[in-house]
Amino acid sequence: MRKILIAGAGQSGLQLALGLQAQGYEVTLMSHRTADEIRAGRVTSTQVLFPTALQHERDLRLNFWESQAPDIEALGVTVAAPDSHDPGPAHRAVDWLGPLDGAAQSVDHRVKLAGWLDTFAQRGGRLVIHGAAVSDLDHLSRLYDLVLVASGKGELVDLFDRDPAHSPYTRPQRSLAVSYVHGLAPRPDGPGTGQLRLTMVPGVGELIVMPTLTTSGPADILFWEGVPGGPVDAFRGVAGPAEHLALTLSLMERHTPWEYARAVKAELTDGGSTLAGRYPPVVRNPVAVLPSGGLVLGVGDAVVTNDPLTGQGANAAAKCAAAYLAAILEHGDRPFDEAWMRTAFDRYWGPVGRPTTRWTNAMLAPLPAHAVGLLAAASDHPEVARRFANGFDDPSDFEHYFYDPARTESYLATLT
């Protein structure tokens, strides 16, 4: 029986651990928190999974909350005009809703990761509650056939060298502020809990609103992404959750009044339902060498960390775990050498990591005129809205019509 060590118990680490466990591998999982500590802790993300990632969970029979989580059946994009503080609808320069070909869902990681962690232990997996350090892996690597790092934070990340060719940013591109709330009213112009809304406020940032399942049941996420130094980059030093929500709502009233109108009765779901922070997007070398010479392979956020603007974090993690699981199973009893590790990463990077990173980095920058024109065209052409919305499930499709002005022009010319 092959022995595998996974350090990190997020979406990618747990999904991979449970997948390997189901195939008879002897898996040791290192987590810095217990399941109970995760459940009782603060929110850690704004995860939303689109159909491909959800199917990976179904394939492993890990979709425990699918019947409880609200379905997200459409994705809307709004581009605010410069004077968007005026509540009149004319000050939404672009506003459309694109149907998703398959429903998306969001499950608070306090619910999902805690549940998966319990499942791993109940199924006989070896769970070590310990924040892994490099010295730990250096010692333990001799005892395992393969060591994987699935933690996007802490000293283990520093094992993996930054890849400057795919990491154009060295500083955070957005200030992030999250609130999980009850009491959000449905939009008057379409389905309520069934849609994810992305509002882009040029020069200010973005507001993302979407339904989720949290520890207290169905809820909604209010998520500001503020341009550094701008008016939404205002959450440093906020005293506590109540002040965090008050600031969130105040910024909504000023910059997205049509969304604020839905949120006037919003209340935090619990005392740990807010989060603020920032980090630079980065791609790292997937293979690292331990002090003793042993090799480790990075998984998910450990090697590809994108800004959450495009909602790709948990999706990319799920797809990375699925790619690695297939690569491990196909490899059989052969050694997990460096060549195999790089091939396993390429299996993820080519179809998923590269297009996801390119699209997210492009969305962080001011959109060029042809891209703004494309978003505007979606207001009049439902097929454009549908295609853009479903790009959140498959970002590789943007290669065909989003980045290059000539390709955008050619695509729009085909519309009737």
Side-chain angles (χ1 to χ4, degrees):
M1 183 182 295
R2 308 211 78 179
K3 299 174 64 177
I4 295 179
L5 172 65
I6 301 175
Q11 172 81 36
S12 59
L14 267 165
Q15 181 181 316
L16 184 54
L18 287 158
L20 289 168
Q21 184 184 52
Q23 293 295 323
Y25 286 74
E26 185 178 328
V27 182
T28 298
L29 181 66
M30 300 185 73
S31 171
H32 73 285
R33 292 189 296 169
T34 66
D36 288 342
E37 288 171 338
I38 293 171
R39 286 191 189 93
R42 303 188 69 83
V43 294
T44 60
S45 62
T46 55
Q47 68 297 310
V48 56
L49 292 187
F50 294 95
T52 299
L54 286 174
Q55 188 59 49
H56 290 316
E57 294 189 352
R58 295 186 190 109
D59 290 343
L60 297 175
R61 299 182 180 180
L62 298 175
N63 55 326
F64 303 154
W65 303 275
E66 186 168 359
S67 64
Q68 304 170 48
D71 281 342
I72 299 172
E73 299 172 342
L75 188 147
V77 172
T78 300
V79 180
D83 54 351
S84 59
H85 63 280
D86 188 298
H91 298 290
R92 282 175 272 184
V94 172
D95 192 49
W96 51 258
L97 191 66
L100 295 172
D101 292 341
Q105 288 189 330
S106 169
V107 178
D108 185 342
H109 274 182
R110 293 180 298 177
V111 175
K112 178 191 286 186
L113 301 186
W116 280 3
L117 205 61
D118 281 339
T119 299
F120 176 78
Q122 290 163 5
R123 292 178 178 176
R126 185 185 179 196
L127 178 60
V128 178
I129 305 301
H130 176 67
V134 173
S135 58
D136 297 318
L137 297 192
D138 201 35
H139 169 71
L140 293 171
S141 63
R142 304 175 181 89
L143 308 177
Y144 291 88
D145 298 296
L146 175 63
V147 177
L148 299 140
V149 172
S151 174
K153 300 177 181 178
E155 70 172 67
L156 295 186
V157 173
D158 294 334
L159 282 169
F160 303 95
D161 295 331
R162 178 176 176 272
D163 178 358
H166 297 106
S167 305
Y169 301 119
T170 58
R171 297 180 179 179
Q173 296 302 295
R174 293 293 188 272
S175 167
L176 314 175
V178 176
S179 300
Y180 281 54
V181 299
H182 290 308
L184 190 70
R187 281 179 62 105
D189 55 349
T193 58
Q195 58 180 289
L196 182 158
R197 302 293 311 198
L198 168 63
T199 299
M200 307 167 69
V201 187
V204 174
E206 297 82 21
L207 174 70
I208 299 168
V209 181
M210 64 179 173
T212 190
L213 178 71
T214 188
T215 53
S216 53
D220 287 279
I221 296 173
L222 307 177
F223 179 24
W224 271 115
E225 290 236 352
V227 173
V232 175
D233 183 8
F235 287 83
R236 284 180 171 172
V238 168
E243 184 178 334
H244 181 109
L245 178 60
L247 179 55
T248 294
L249 296 176
S250 174
L251 292 168
M252 290 173 65
E253 184 178 21
R254 170 66 178 83
H255 299 287
T256 62
W258 49 88
E259 294 290 2
Y260 172 74
R262 305 169 58 200
V264 292
K265 295 183 178 180
E267 297 179 348
L268 293 174
T269 60
D270 61 271
S273 61
T274 60
L275 173 70
R278 65 189 72 206
Y279 58 84
V282 63
V283 176
R284 301 180 179 90
N285 188 319
V287 181
V289 182
L290 295 168
S292 64
L295 299 178
V296 295
L297 174 62
V299 187
D301 283 353
V303 286
V304 180
T305 305
N306 284 305
D307 188 278
L309 172 60
T310 57
Q312 294 302 299
N315 289 272
K319 294 172 183 177
C320 184
Y324 281 20
L325 176 61
I328 291 169
L329 297 180
E330 292 172 7
H331 201 59
D333 294 329
R334 288 168 287 174
F336 294 111
D337 56 16
E338 182 174 357
W340 175 85
M341 290 182 176
R342 295 194 179 279
T343 298
F345 175 75
D346 289 343
R347 185 172 185 154
Y348 157 70
W349 174 251
V352 178
R354 184 193 299 272
T356 296
T357 297
R358 183 181 185 188
W359 178 48
T360 304
N361 286 341
M363 291 292 286
L364 287 170
L367 292 182
H370 75 274
V372 174
L374 178 71
L375 294 179
S379 296
D380 299 319
H381 298 279
E383 61 267 46
V384 178
R386 177 187 288 271
R387 186 173 187 179
F388 191 90
N390 284 283
F392 282 72
D393 184 42
D394 179 16
S396 67
D397 187 45
F398 292 113
E399 301 280 349
H400 303 298
Y401 72 102
F402 184 70
Y403 304 114
D404 181 74
R407 289 191 175 188
T408 301
E409 182 180 1
S410 177
Y411 170 56
L412 294 179
T414 66
L415 304 177
T416 57

